[in-house]
Amino acid sequence: MRPGRQLAVLGLIFVVLYLLVFFSGGASGGFKDRLEPRLGLDLVGGTRMTLEATNSLDGRPPTAENLEEARQIIENRVNAYGVAEAEVVTEGNRNIVISLPGENRDLTDVGSAAELRFRKVLKAADGSGAAAAPAPTPTPAPSGSASPAPSGSAKPSGSASPSGAKATASPSAGGQGGGAPAPSASATGSPSASAAPSSSASAEPVPAGVEEQRKAVEQKVGAAAWQAASGLQAPADLTADPSLADKLKPFGALSPREIAVLPAEMQFNVPTITCAQLDQRPPASIKDEKQKAVACEDGVQKYLLDVAKVLGTDVGDANAVLDQTSSWVVSLDFKGGGQEKWTNLTREAFNNEGQACDQTALGQDGKCRVAVVLDNKVVSSPEIQGVLTGDSQITGSFDNKAASALAGQLRYGALPVTFEPQEQQNVTATLGASHLRAGLLAAGIGMLLVIIYSFFYYRLLGSVIFLSLVLSGLLVFGALVFLGRQIGFTLTLAGIAGMIVSLGVAADSFVIYFERLKDEIREGRSPRSAVPRAWIRARRTIISANAITIMSAVVLYIVSVGAVKGFAFALGLATVLDLVVVFLFRHPIMTMFARTRAFLSPRVSGLGRILPPARSEQATRTSRVKEA
Amino acid sequence: MAKTGLASRLYAGEAGLDVIGRRKLWFGVAGALILVAVLSFALRGFSLGIEFAGGNSFQVPASVGTLDDAEKTVDTVLARTAAGAEVVTAQKVGGTGGDFYEMRTTQLDAEQANEAKAEMARVFGIQADQISGNQVSEAWGSQVTSRALLGLVIFVLLVTVYLVLRFEWRMAAAAVSSLFMNLILTAGIYSLVGFEVTPSTIIGFLTILGFALYDVVVVFDKVQENTRGITANNNQTYGEAANLAINQSLMRSLNTSVVALLPVGGLLFIGAGLLGAGTLKDLGLVLFVGMAVAFLTSILLATPLLVLLKNYEPRIQAHNKRVLARRTALAKGEITPKGAARPAADADEPVDVDAALAGAAPKVGARPAGKRSTGARGGRPAGGGGNRPGGAKRR
């Protein structure tokens, strides 16, 4: 109706899109860099990392099913990065190879096992390594023990208790002195604490492979050191007994892998084993939920942890949310049976039943703490404020990104196999520049053929087709660049081919329109009045037909994974933009065109060829149409 | 005159092809082809690419030369040691551990892999242990494929609902069954010829989904337009109206297909002609085959199927009988037609004779049926009276 207005809207869309392309967040570099769409693995290469399965400490390779299951979980995690077409394959019988487009992407998190365990904190000690040096730091502890640093833990626990159903972990952020109760214990409380029965637990069954490795470590540190370490009932106070410090010194030189095979009590009691070492243990080190474990929080707090009573598999869902104090937390939703286990665990901790927790590990209200252990590390260790029967939260010093990453790891499940990331490598494109050029050449040739055909068939109307294809192309390109930056949409060669095809299909909607126009003219209308009538009828057909394409794109995008998802996205995008061009460009242009004289000339418009034979019958036909 | 050639008749939308009348032929041909395709699935299966079947990878130190040379060498080595095997992708991998080329090949058994490795070491002039080899799994796991299939099922369900709402259930049924035939026939060609199935093939296959239905919707749209209110007068059977719609939209379908096939042809030409194997060729091929099949099924299967279903509808059945009865009456000269042009145009369609003859037998019984039916439409605003001769005069 108002062609000018529609064209103006289209112009506005262009201006906005290209402003976004050049100036939106993430746009950087020169003119050319800003116009670069994000290309896929097959065209520009990317980053590759090999994960080697370290299923258990005894060194057997995992089963094929486990490896495949792990591959799928990793694939899900990688795909959570956006619409980038990652490739995840297993190689040999213990490797998984992940390739992601773009150089120097950080893939370390993808392979982490995310083995979530909830373990009660039995004892706590200073693991910062400061105590390992014999004498220099004698007294930060006593002051801490006297007043268990209210600032650190009061705030988070206060926010949690009113809601009742939420367990809020004290974040114990490293800098805040949050873990104040713990370091003190190692200095003052240990002699009395040694009475705790925990030490007798070292008689747990140990796999044969581990037993051997333990022997090897025993030899390495020497019998005297081993003896001394085995004899410890509590974290050794090296300041009190310098000779012991000398004896235990060899432990400080052990590799993280060697430390991992030591009994949990030994890992905990020997002060020369620092958190720095413990955090470096191979991922599977404290996998066994039936064994006690030692893990660190924030690299300074060393905890002796009870057997795991609640596992990651009990978690139904995990999400990153902002809590009332507007800090990021991960909310947990337990599955049916998991909820019961969690309630039992919190009751045990609240009442200090079962394997009692040492006073070194008590929270400020005198209740036991429960550590949220992810792989080898403690994410947080909230003091339990009540028996919890509902959902829970994990708090910590998270930002949005860290919380989302943790939630993603928990949600997509723990890997059945644990992996050790190998070196990260850059790979070149599998197809490379020659294919990209060939794809673009094919696009060019295809478009040229379409345009030649439409000029041949529709004469001057071909120019409308030509112009709208150019506009569609520009819109699609702009959207690609913008979305590549915003949601990580990457364009592979298959995607480019899909675009070429969809541009061809976009040209179809012209055919529908113009053939309609021919029909109307054949029925005896003047071209000028045929345009709006043909448009109304063609519009219906075009919308129905495109609706189907869009439907297929949406369904495939939602349901599929990997390359199909990317393709569906490209298809849907191209179709929607085609509709935009049809409505905002073609129709108004045709309306304007129909007002010109040239439109009526058969030599110019292609439609004219219909006219001469029809003219003779025109009079009778019009009358018939009117009657009908 | 020369102007009456098929091309110009096509251009004018008056090709006068009888598609509906020969529907038994199309159904027969389609049935036979589907049987062949299904047999081929069962007996021959598909030849799956490395992305589905898995394969081997070899790491060769980058010191042996350029990537292209290395790829060629490995290819010739493979041709010698394991017939039919070839390099699928070749990549340069760089890291702190030194640069190397990684070649992924089609699947080899352990013996072939060892042999190939030894041979490569000999040709490159390096130690055998400098080359490492591994089995690699399919990059396109069963998960991707099964999710794509799930997507297809959901799409078909949704699109059926959409078509039922937009048109009617018969059209939806005809469109969806022709879509399935299309997919089966395309897959059948793949299985028979033994083209390799790669991720690009699957993606192309999913593109055809949309395209095949697109085509059908365009034709059905015209059919719907032509048959709107068809029972209001007695000139045309439903089948004839549908046939006319096919002829009218034939040029449109042809143009649509040509315009869609041109870029695909470009892809295929570039992919196969200039680059050899690869994504472009795979995609071009499946699209070319699928779109060509889609063009044929939309015309030769979808609409005849629709007419078949429609002819079971009591309303249409009665209407068809009425039209044919009237036509025989005309032929016998019982009624004189008012507008001579249209029956004359109809008369040069060969089907009419057969159909009219077939319809001639129940003529006596048909009259009351026709009457009852016209009586039923008495409520229509423009329907005219229940009296048929009167209705005929009115037009």
Side-chain angles (χ1 to χ4, degrees):
Chain A
M1 271 187 268
R2 297 236 172 112
R5 190 177 292 178
Q6 284 161 340
L7 288 176
V9 171
L10 185 69
L12 191 69
I13 290 178
F14 260 96
V15 170
V16 170
L17 179 65
Y18 274 85
L19 280 178
L20 284 174
V21 164
F22 282 110
F23 301 109
S24 71
S28 62
F31 186 77
K32 231 183 131 193
D33 294 338
R34 290 174 189 225
L35 268 178
E36 200 126 295
R38 189 182 263 193
L39 296 177
L41 199 56
D42 54 347
L43 294 174
V44 290
T47 307
R48 162 188 295 186
M49 191 169 63
T50 306
L51 297 171
E52 191 187 341
T54 52
N55 197 28
S56 52
L57 291 172
D58 55 13
R60 276 186 325 240
T63 64
E65 296 84 60
N66 278 350
L67 199 60
E68 172 58 21
E69 195 188 332
R71 193 192 70 77
Q72 288 188 6
I73 293 170
I74 289 178
E75 190 164 38
N76 284 338
R77 289 183 188 168
V78 175
N79 283 328
Y81 281 160
V83 199
E85 301 185 3
E87 186 191 279
V88 182
V89 298
T90 63
E91 191 185 80
N93 60 1
R94 63 188 330 157
N95 288 347
I96 288 184
V97 181
I98 307 163
S99 312
L100 205 61
E103 287 196 356
N104 301 321
R105 300 275 290 262
D106 186 16
L107 286 172
T108 27
D109 283 348
V110 172
S112 66
E115 212 130 33
L116 183 69
R117 306 268 187 255
F118 293 86
R119 296 170 180 264
K120 196 161 71 165
V121 181
L122 297 178
K123 297 187 192 180
D126 180 10
S128 63
T137 55
T139 50
S143 69
S145 75
S147 58
S151 68
S153 47
K155 185 189 82 179
S157 59
S159 78
S161 41
S163 69
K166 299 204 169 182
T168 303
S170 58
S172 44
Q176 248 185 334
S184 65
S186 69
T188 60
S190 56
S192 64
S194 66
S198 60
S199 55
S200 63
S202 58
E204 289 152 343
V206 171
V210 175
E211 191 62 61
E212 267 169 41
Q213 293 176 52
R214 218 173 256 184
K215 287 259 162 55
V217 178
E218 189 176 339
Q219 281 186 353
K220 187 170 175 182
V221 294
W226 187 266
Q227 211 80 58
S230 314
L232 291 172
Q233 298 295 312
D237 184 1
L238 297 185
T239 48
D241 188 354
S243 69
L244 190 60
D246 254 5
K247 270 192 210 162
L248 295 179
K249 215 169 186 176
F251 283 96
L254 290 179
S255 73
R257 188 178 277 279
E258 287 164 331
I259 285 175
V261 299
L262 298 176
E265 272 75 12
M266 200 183 281
Q267 291 181 34
F268 181 71
N269 289 337
V270 175
T272 40
I273 297 177
T274 62
C275 276
Q277 285 166 300
L278 289 169
D279 285 348
Q280 293 294 313
R281 286 173 301 183
S285 303
I286 58 171
K287 178 182 162 68
D288 192 345
E289 72 244 31
K290 299 199 180 62
Q291 303 254 339
K292 287 188 198 169
V294 175
C296 289
E297 183 172 1
D298 297 322
V300 287
Q301 299 284 326
K302 189 157 126 184
Y303 298 133
L304 179 64
L305 303 165
D306 196 5
V307 300
K309 300 258 168 76
V310 180
L311 309 182
T313 46
D314 296 320
V315 173
D317 195 11
N319 285 298
V321 291
L322 266 177
D323 72 355
Q324 300 96 314
T325 58
S326 38
S327 49
W328 284 96
V329 298
V330 176
S331 81
L332 287 179
D333 195 356
F334 290 97
K335 290 178 192 157
Q339 182 63 52
E340 200 184 315
K341 287 193 207 166
W342 172 241
T343 306
N344 287 340
L345 177 62
T346 54
R347 180 181 302 121
E348 192 185 314
F350 185 68
N351 301 330
N352 201 359
E353 295 161 349
Q355 177 80 272
C357 60
D358 196 298
Q359 69 187 64
T360 57
L362 289 180
Q364 52 156 8
D365 291 342
K367 304 298 178 193
C368 289
R369 295 193 283 163
V370 169
V372 180
V373 187
L374 193 70
D375 296 333
N376 286 340
K377 292 177 196 162
V378 176
V379 178
S380 71
S381 52
E383 178 177 4
I384 299 302
Q385 309 271 336
V387 180
L388 302 176
T389 52
D391 298 348
S392 299
Q393 291 177 337
I394 302 177
T395 60
S397 44
F398 297 129
D399 55 12
N400 180 7
K401 216 170 150 187
S404 305
L406 176 59
Q409 286 179 325
L410 299 179
R411 189 168 56 233
Y412 289 120
L415 298 175
V417 183
T418 43
F419 293 94
E420 215 171 332
Q422 307 291 306
E423 177 197 5
Q424 195 156 308
Q425 299 163 322
N426 288 329
V427 293
T428 58
T430 47
L431 296 173
S434 66
H435 281 72
L436 180 58
R437 265 199 304 273
L440 295 178
L441 183 62
I445 290 180
M447 284 303 101
L448 196 67
L449 290 176
V450 168
I451 287 160
I452 289 174
Y453 182 80
S454 40
F455 271 113
F456 167 76
Y457 194 81
Y458 294 113
R459 309 268 170 105
L460 197 63
L461 290 188
S463 60
V464 179
I465 300 188
F466 173 70
L467 275 176
S468 26
L469 284 182
V470 168
L471 286 179
S472 285
L474 285 174
L475 274 180
V476 168
F477 181 79
L480 274 185
V481 175
F482 176 63
L483 292 174
R485 274 204 295 271
Q486 296 304 313
I487 64 166
F489 175 70
T490 46
L491 191 60
T492 59
L493 192 59
I496 291 180
M499 293 281 181
I500 297 173
V501 172
S502 68
L503 281 182
V505 174
D508 290 354
S509 39
F510 294 89
V511 176
I512 292 174
Y513 187 21
F514 291 166
E515 290 292 317
R516 256 289 176 220
L517 214 50
K518 262 169 53 181
D519 283 354
E520 295 292 331
I521 291 174
R522 196 162 38 228
E523 280 181 19
R525 270 169 211 290
S526 73
R528 195 169 298 174
S529 68
V531 166
R533 263 186 80 92
W535 167 245
I536 290 168
R537 292 182 169 188
R539 188 174 58 186
R540 216 172 104 92
T541 313
I542 292 171
I543 291 177
S544 325
N546 276 328
I548 285 179
T549 311
I550 292 174
M551 213 185 284
S552 80
V554 169
V555 169
L556 286 176
Y557 180 76
I558 292 173
V559 174
S560 294
V561 289
V564 179
K565 206 184 185 76
F567 158 77
F569 190 87
L571 182 69
L573 183 70
T575 312
V576 169
L577 292 179
D578 171 43
L579 277 179
V580 168
V581 172
V582 166
F583 276 80
L584 296 182
F585 175 73
R586 180 181 336 150
H587 175 53
I589 282 287
M590 286 302 287
T591 313
M592 286 158 106
F593 202 24
R595 291 178 191 158
T596 63
R597 282 181 82 87
F599 190 75
L600 296 172
S601 152
R603 279 191 311 178
V604 176
S605 81
L607 297 177
R609 273 198 275 164
I610 289 292
L611 287 177
R615 195 154 279 159
S616 54
E617 299 171 45
Q618 201 161 345
T620 52
R621 288 218 172 181
T622 9
S623 64
R624 232 180 58 205
V625 167
K626 267 177 195 157
E627 204 182 317
Chain B
M1 290 207 277
K3 283 280 169 195
T4 51
L6 181 67
S8 62
R9 275 191 293 140
L10 265 178
Y11 186 87
E14 287 157 4
L17 299 178
D18 178 29
V19 174
I20 301 296
R22 302 210 185 101
R23 60 172 178 262
K24 289 209 177 96
L25 175 68
W26 311 131
F27 292 154
V29 170
L33 288 177
I34 285 175
L35 193 70
V36 170
V38 170
L39 276 179
S40 177
F41 297 159
L43 299 177
R44 286 178 59 99
F46 295 94
S47 71
L48 297 175
I50 180 179
E51 292 86 349
F52 294 101
N56 288 56
S57 76
F58 294 96
Q59 280 97 31
V60 181
S63 55
V64 297
T66 69
L67 182 59
D68 277 348
D69 290 344
E71 186 182 348
K72 280 190 193 112
T73 313
V74 174
D75 240 348
T76 48
V77 166
L78 283 176
R80 265 198 304 250
T81 53
E86 58 178 2
V87 175
V88 179
T89 62
Q91 276 178 297
K92 183 177 181 181
V93 179
T96 51
D99 290 355
F100 58 89
Y101 297 136
E102 184 176 283
M103 316 276 173
R104 289 214 183 148
T105 70
T106 41
Q107 211 158 21
L108 306 172
D109 59 33
E111 204 176 300
Q112 286 173 326
N114 279 332
E115 233 172 90
K117 210 154 78 173
E119 182 71 9
M120 269 179 233
R122 200 181 60 76
V123 175
F124 285 126
I126 51 176
Q127 294 296 312
D129 56 12
Q130 284 180 271
I131 300 177
S132 57
N134 251 323
Q135 294 271 339
V136 288
S137 72
E138 72 278 33
W140 254 52
S142 46
Q143 201 197 3
V144 184
T145 319
S146 63
R147 294 305 283 269
L149 280 176
L150 178 67
L152 195 143
V153 170
I154 295 177
F155 168 69
V156 167
L157 290 179
L158 269 181
V159 95
T160 310
V161 172
Y162 174 79
L163 289 175
V164 168
L165 294 177
R166 169 73 174 70
F167 296 111
E168 56 167 320
W169 73 263
R170 289 178 185 82
M171 283 192 174
V176 171
S177 10
S178 88
L179 172 70
F180 275 117
M181 284 186 209
N182 190 352
L183 293 181
I184 292 173
L185 291 181
T186 309
I189 291 174
Y190 257 74
S191 167
L192 269 180
V193 182
F195 293 134
E196 193 177 55
V197 178
T198 64
S200 313
T201 316
I202 299 290
I203 284 176
F205 210 66
L206 295 170
T207 317
I208 299 173
L209 275 186
F211 185 80
L213 278 173
Y214 183 102
D215 232 19
V216 173
V217 165
V218 171
V219 176
F220 278 12
D221 201 57
K222 188 74 188 171
V223 172
Q224 194 190 33
E225 190 189 313
N226 279 8
T227 58
R228 191 169 290 132
I230 190 173
T231 48
N233 52 47
N234 292 334
N235 302 315
Q236 266 182 319
T237 62
Y238 190 88
E240 285 157 15
N243 200 42
L244 183 65
I246 291 180
N247 277 304
Q248 284 171 340
S249 59
L250 192 62
M251 201 59 220
R252 195 152 64 174
S253 296
L254 210 58
N255 267 344
T256 300
S257 299
V258 168
V259 162
L261 281 175
L262 282 176
V264 172
L267 272 185
L268 195 56
F269 170 70
I270 294 275
L274 297 183
L275 290 170
T279 310
L280 289 178
K281 190 195 77 178
D282 295 341
L283 204 81
L285 187 65
V286 70
L287 287 173
F288 203 87
V289 172
M291 284 181 170
V293 174
F295 170 66
L296 292 175
T297 48
S298 72
I299 290 171
L300 298 182
L301 286 174
T303 319
L305 255 177
L306 172 67
V307 172
L308 187 75
L309 286 173
K310 268 304 218 191
N311 282 346
Y312 280 109
E313 196 183 345
R315 199 170 63 94
I316 297 295
Q317 227 169 1
H319 167 75
N320 286 348
K321 277 180 192 162
R322 214 162 54 236
V323 170
L324 294 177
R326 177 167 180 271
R327 216 167 271 162
T328 30
L330 274 175
K332 284 181 189 165
E334 285 173 17
I335 314 169
T336 27
K338 197 124 206 225
R342 198 177 279 255
D346 284 347
D348 50 38
E349 289 180 23
V351 65
D352 289 349
V353 187
D354 283 345
L357 283 177
K363 182 185 127 197
V364 184
R367 283 204 153 227
K371 234 178 194 165
R372 213 175 298 132
S373 159
T374 37
R377 337 178 247 112
R380 293 176 68 101
N387 192 317
R388 220 169 42 80
K393 260 178 207 148
R394 267 172 51 86
R395 124 148 261 288

